[in-house]
Amino acid sequence: MTRTTFGALLRDLAADTAAVEEVVRAARAHSPEVARLPPAEVRRQVVLLLTSGLGALERREDPGGRDFTEARRLGADRAAQGVSVAGLLCGVQAGRDRAVELVVRHGRAAGIPDEVLLEGLLTIGRYAAAVERAVVDGHRAAERDLARTGAPARARLLRRLLLDGPAGDRTAELARFGLRPDGRYHCLVAEQPDPVRANALHRQFAGYGGVLGTVEDRLAGLTPRLPAAAPADLLVVAAPRQPLARAPAMYALCLAALRTAAHRRLRGLRLVTDLAVPTALAAQPALAELLRGALLGGLDPADEFHRELATTALAWLDHGQRLDQTAAALHVHPNTVRYRLRRLRELTGGPPVEEGGAVPGAGHGPLVVGAGHLAGPALTVGSGTVTGSGGAGDAVPTAGRGCPAR
């Protein structure tokens, strides 16, 4: 009866979202490497340990005779995600200590005698230790596999190519990773993703013949082809295909464009060429202000309605010049969007534009930057967030816009 009561306590804790989150927070707080993982990944680890303890108590099996396949897989995943075995153990042990505290606290509150709690904790402790050993075994086995596949060598090669350029005859080394001295490659740089998404990106670009690795604490690489898109919640900036000799220059451009795109809160795969104007003008805010005055001089930055007009125009351009999509993004009626665009045209002298049609004029980028400057603090040269009657904080990507020319 007491064993059933203790087992019911463990089942309740494993199903208690708040209790699981306490253990997750403890693991993340005591291991910076574990903290870099998505919370869902850490939660999976916690649930694994709790359910292993529960199974141990109910089956009363010898842990030496169990197959801890899932624990070994967990260790292998952490190795692939760049978590060291020391960092992993710090998180596991901190989470286990917090789980023990919760068991004691809730068990006493449920009226379970201390001697029963102690017996149960000793039982699941033996299984928890066996699970930890399996996690470490899986981690070390995966590390050996990664060393054989040349991941460190790949990262070293990328650092040399992107920072120093292809010096000397490295034909054999390049060929080992599918690169050619006379090849042309897209350079790409990504925001530092969590390890899970980094692995997904590695797999995606490997399918296109790409080579990715960590360069200056960022995910960077070279690829002969680009996929149609990157993960929607991850920012990746890519340059046009260039010879390997130009890789350092392209890497520097990607870094600059990445900073601009990140400040704009953009996501997905973005091209350096689409971000060229805002990237250049982000370093010259005074020039951006001059452009605003020259191209949108009919609008007054101090006038709230004029800022609302600029906000609406930017959202309209971002949504393919579609009234319905713009209205939905701004939470207004399509007729309101139509009216604001007409007033903007009257005030700036821009030509008529049709819904969904091409925007005339070649100087779209500078005009967009000027309009962004005028729209207010939430939509400046480096920001992609619009405000106004549509509500603060609506994210609107700003790369690749057109703008009515005067």
Side-chain angles (χ1 to χ4, degrees), residues 127-400:
Y127 279 81
V131 168
E132 288 181 19
R133 288 194 294 272
V135 168
V136 171
D137 287 345
H139 188 285
R140 288 176 173 159
E143 281 186 322
R144 291 192 293 270
D145 289 341
L146 289 171
R148 281 196 296 269
T149 60
R154 181 173 62 243
R156 286 194 298 270
L157 174 63
L158 279 173
R159 284 194 289 271
R160 285 199 297 269
L161 292 175
L162 297 181
L163 298 178
D164 304 320
D169 183 9
R170 299 185 179 276
T171 303
E173 186 179 13
L174 293 173
R176 179 185 176 189
F177 298 104
L179 302 176
R180 303 194 323 271
D182 60 345
R184 297 171 68 89
Y185 299 95
H186 298 277
C187 176
L188 61 95
V189 180
E191 279 188 316
Q192 184 62 23
D194 61 65
V196 173
R197 288 190 297 173
N199 284 339
L201 201 65
H202 268 287
R203 290 193 296 270
Q204 181 182 18
F205 279 91
Y208 288 84
V211 180
L212 271 70
T214 300
V215 179
E216 297 183 318
D217 294 326
R218 293 182 183 86
L219 194 61
L222 297 165
T223 179
R225 293 183 296 137
L226 291 174
D233 59 346
L234 181 65
L235 173 60
V236 180
V237 173
R241 288 201 310 166
Q242 296 289 310
L244 280 179
R246 298 207 65 201
M250 294 301 101
Y251 176 67
L253 288 177
C254 284
L255 287 180
L258 183 74
R259 287 190 290 269
T260 297
H263 198 49
R264 288 167 171 256
R265 303 178 191 175
L266 302 182
R267 289 294 180 268
L269 179 62
R270 303 284 172 163
L271 301 180
V272 166
T273 48
D274 289 339
L275 296 163
V277 171
T279 299
L281 290 177
Q284 298 289 340
L287 179 58
E289 177 62 25
L290 288 176
L291 283 172
R292 184 208 63 76
L295 302 174
L296 297 174
L299 300 182
D300 180 3
D303 189 311
E304 183 178 352
F305 178 60
H306 287 188
R307 293 198 303 271
E308 191 174 68
L309 296 182
T311 294
T312 302
L314 292 172
W316 179 70
L317 292 167
D318 275 332
H319 290 84
Q321 296 90 59
R322 291 287 302 272
L323 293 176
D324 55 347
Q325 294 182 14
T326 305
L330 297 176
H331 309 292
V332 298
H333 193 278
N335 284 341
T336 301
V337 176
R338 185 180 289 109
Y339 166 72
R340 292 177 184 174
L341 293 176
R342 186 175 69 249
R343 288 293 295 136
L344 178 65
R345 188 167 60 246
E346 292 169 353
L347 290 168
T348 62
V353 289
E354 298 179 358
E355 181 174 4
V359 179
H364 303 160
L367 286 166
V368 169
V369 173
H373 233 219
L374 181 137
L379 185 41
T380 59
V381 172
S383 172
T385 302
V386 299
T387 60
S389 64
D394 293 320
V396 177
T398 55

Side-chain angles (χ1 to χ4, degrees), residues 20-31 90-91 94-99:
V20 170
E21 288 304 318
E22 280 196 51
V23 179
V24 169
R25 283 196 296 272
R28 291 167 63 88
H30 286 79
S31 173
C90 281
R96 185 182 65 180
D97 290 347
R98 186 65 182 133

